[in-house]
Amino acid sequence: QVQLMESGGGTVQAGGSLSLSCQASGVTPAKYHMAWFRQAPGKEREGVAVVSNGANRYYVDSVEGRFTISRDNNKNTLSLHANSLKPEDTAMYYCAAGRLLEINLGRWIVRPQDFEHWGQGTQVTVSS
């Protein structure tokens, strides 16, 4: 049984930092592309950062330079270090694993439907 368990969410003031962690079990992360998605109330789920099974990385423009995604295949963990947090980063953050990843002319196409395993999510709230 595949399980992804997120931890590390919380409330932080604007400009602060948080580190999220995702522990995977029942799956070999090295075979998957791993990602962090987020979803704010009333908005669609958005791919925030992806690390492919070849360790290439993608970031959505709004977090480029502030967030860092990393994976440890030996420990079956995925991490997201978020710095310089803004109120607009407030959302439920989800860890996801998938085998499909489309890169078209250097542009990453990150779609929730391409990721088949999901965690329950961890809330990140950034106060102004």
Side-chain angles (χ1 to χ4, degrees), residues 8-106:
T11 300
V12 64
Q13 287 190 332
S17 300
L18 275 178
S19 291
L20 306 184
S21 183
C22 173
Q23 181 68 55
S25 60
V27 64
T28 304
K31 297 182 179 179
Y32 287 81
H33 310 299
M34 302 293 294
W36 289 97
F37 284 79
R38 67 185 179 188
Q39 188 166 21
K43 294 190 177 182
E44 293 185 353
R45 192 165 293 193
E46 173 187 47
V48 175
V50 179
V51 54
S52 71
N53 57 7
N56 294 307
R57 290 169 174 78
Y58 158 90
Y59 298 95
V60 71
D61 287 347
S62 60
V63 308
E64 181 80 54
R66 300 188 296 121
F67 289 16
T68 303
I69 188 172
S70 60
R71 64 191 297 166
D72 186 330
N73 291 334
N74 292 324
K75 296 181 179 178
N76 287 358
T77 58
L78 178 72
S79 298
L80 184 70
H81 300 289
N83 297 318
S84 302
L85 283 160
K86 304 175 181 180
E88 51 263 43
D89 294 317
T90 295
M92 186 70 79
Y93 282 71
Y94 298 91
C95 170
R99 301 190 199 227
L100 296 176
L101 187 62
E102 181 178 350
I103 302 176
N104 187 356
L105 298 177

